[in-house]
Amino acid sequence: MGSRHGHLDHACPDKGGLTRMALPTRLTEILGIEHPIIQGGMAWTATAELAAAVSNAGGLGIIGAGHMPTDILRQQIRLAKELTDMPFGVNLMLLTPHIDEIVAMVLEEGVHAVTTGAGNPGKYMGALKEKGIKVLTVVPSVALAKRMESIGADAVIGEGMEAGGHIGELTTFVLTPQLADAVDVPVVAAGGIADGRGVAAAFALGAEGVQVGTRFMCAEECTIDPGVKARIVKARDRDTVVTGYSTGHPVRVIKNRLSRMIEELDRENKPEEIEELGSGKLALAMREGDLEMGSLMAGQAAALVCDVQPAAVIVTEMMDEAENVLRRLGTIAR
Ligand code: TUI
């Protein structure tokens, strides 16, 4: 054992020998994918290149719409269709003002699935389902999960507060089993999952799939600034912080000068100033590589990410490790 990354002073353990198999679940069946791994729909980060790479690796790649203009998102969908013949999806960020137009365009272009975040997608559910698009809604609570199931969600993604970006209040560890008890549709666990141990743990908690964001930020095919990837690889256990509680939209980021400025405004209860200061800062980080004044949205699992790797290696490593963990646990249980 020991670190396979000599340049890191914190532990990134050897993953051991690799084996090969799949963990089929209702989720993989519904989506028509090989591995129960959905890529997070990260704004300014989850582009067609990353989505196609994840889909080509047997997961479900997702283009993160964020606040993207409708035409650009349309081009992204068309690009992904050129880059992969496998199912992929779009994440609808429901706080964006032109969301009606975005949904209309997605219905026109057609994708296999949408994930939704940052709100209640009820208004769009009927139209999406009518087009045969699978709808997976991110839910931060049991109540919203039940509501989403009742209006036709194909699966719910329970996102714990370990996740990066805009988060709810509950942890993945307590949210996932409660969702598994509360709904009949498949549950996907999100937040804090960056390796096969996390996948195995999510399955133990009743999930039939995982959503992974931060580790895919460090995929070679992810087009964010390389400096951000290096910062994630370097991240340690306490390097993220949740800022913006006073705005009602708390956001987990890697600590930097901007996060300290926002924390100060949070203490002074100045939500309008936070919104103003935060404007454009996600793009500043992800596209321009400003590590101090950019918004470095990433999850606690940044500390578990050891390398920049091809998306296919990330998927294979996670699945092989999950398989090995589950087999080992099975052996102990006997
Ligand atoms: O949406 C995310 N993560 C995000 S969105 C984003 S862009 C942004 N930037 C600054 C401020 C706000 C957004 C960056 N990261 N994850 C999924 C997620 N959804 N987390 C929490 C929720 C959520 C919250 C409330 C989902 C539903 C919900 O429903 C409230 C209601 O309407 O019942």
Side-chain angles (χ1 to χ4, degrees), residues 5-333:
H5 311 288
H7 60 289
L8 291 172
D9 59 357
H10 59 296
C12 276
D14 237 317
K15 295 301 192 292
L18 298 182
T19 55
R20 173 143 295 279
M21 77 155 241
L23 288 172
T25 67
R26 289 187 299 164
L27 184 81
T28 58
E29 193 176 312
I30 287 167
L31 295 173
I33 57 177
E34 185 182 2
H35 300 299
I37 296 181
I38 299 175
Q39 170 232 312
M42 303 163 287
W44 288 107
T45 299
T47 61
E49 290 86 352
L50 178 62
V54 172
S55 289
N56 284 333
L60 185 74
I62 299 283
I63 299 168
H67 291 297
M68 213 183 262
T70 309
D71 278 353
I72 306 284
L73 182 59
R74 192 194 295 275
Q75 288 168 20
Q76 285 280 300
I77 292 171
R78 291 182 180 177
L79 177 57
K81 284 179 180 171
E82 280 172 29
L83 298 175
T84 185
D85 293 326
M86 312 293 268
F88 70 90
V90 168
N91 176 262
L92 303 174
M93 208 286 282
L94 297 167
L95 286 173
T96 205
H98 59 299
I99 184 69
D100 286 353
E101 194 183 292
I102 291 273
V103 175
M105 181 277 291
V106 167
L107 290 167
E108 231 173 77
E109 292 293 318
V111 292
H112 290 87
V114 303
T115 59
T116 67
N120 182 337
K123 182 176 165 193
Y124 309 109
M125 189 70 82
L128 290 165
K129 304 267 319 182
E130 207 161 294
K131 278 273 174 188
I133 298 173
K134 304 296 179 194
V135 181
L136 295 82
T137 63
V138 169
V139 294
S141 68
V142 172
L144 191 62
K146 285 182 169 170
R147 220 175 308 145
M148 292 302 104
E149 177 178 50
S150 74
I151 62 171
D154 293 283
V156 294
I157 304 171
E159 191 178 276
M161 55 88 78
E162 298 92 323
H166 173 45
I167 54 170
E169 289 173 17
L170 301 175
T171 61
T172 305
F173 214 92
V174 294
L175 178 58
T176 308
Q178 291 185 80
L179 294 177
D181 286 345
V183 297
D184 291 323
V185 292
V187 172
V188 178
I193 301 167
D195 61 26
R197 294 170 298 184
V199 175
F203 274 57
L205 295 170
E208 295 183 57
V210 296
Q211 179 182 274
V212 175
T214 302
R215 185 152 180 202
F216 282 127
M217 292 177 76
C218 291
E220 279 174 9
E221 296 88 346
C222 181
T223 59
I224 60 171
D225 188 274
V228 176
K229 298 185 188 183
R231 180 65 192 88
I232 291 171
V233 168
K234 203 177 82 172
R236 307 196 51 167
D237 53 352
R238 300 177 65 230
D239 281 2
T240 71
V241 63
V242 181
T243 60
Y245 279 112
S246 65
T247 66
H249 300 298
V251 169
R252 182 180 300 282
V253 295
I254 293 178
K255 292 174 186 170
N256 62 5
R257 176 146 178 263
L258 177 69
S259 75
R260 287 189 291 276
M261 290 168 74
I262 294 179
E263 277 182 295
E264 181 60 27
L265 293 171
D266 249 340
R267 276 191 291 273
E268 295 166 2
N269 195 23
K270 291 178 174 162
E272 295 86 3
E273 287 184 35
I274 292 177
E275 303 280 13
E276 198 177 318
L277 179 61
S279 171
K281 294 299 196 292
L282 183 58
L284 185 64
M286 303 306 164
R287 310 317 312 179
E288 291 178 46
D290 189 330
L291 299 183
E292 281 310 317
M293 281 309 290
S295 179
L296 291 177
M297 292 189 192
Q300 289 186 339
L304 296 170
V305 178
C306 300
D307 254 329
V308 173
Q309 297 166 307
V313 173
I314 294 174
V315 169
T316 305
E317 243 184 51
M318 287 185 72
M319 291 312 298
D320 287 344
E321 192 187 12
E323 217 294 81
N324 285 336
V325 170
L326 291 169
R327 192 180 314 110
R328 200 173 70 229
L329 293 175
T331 306
I332 290 165

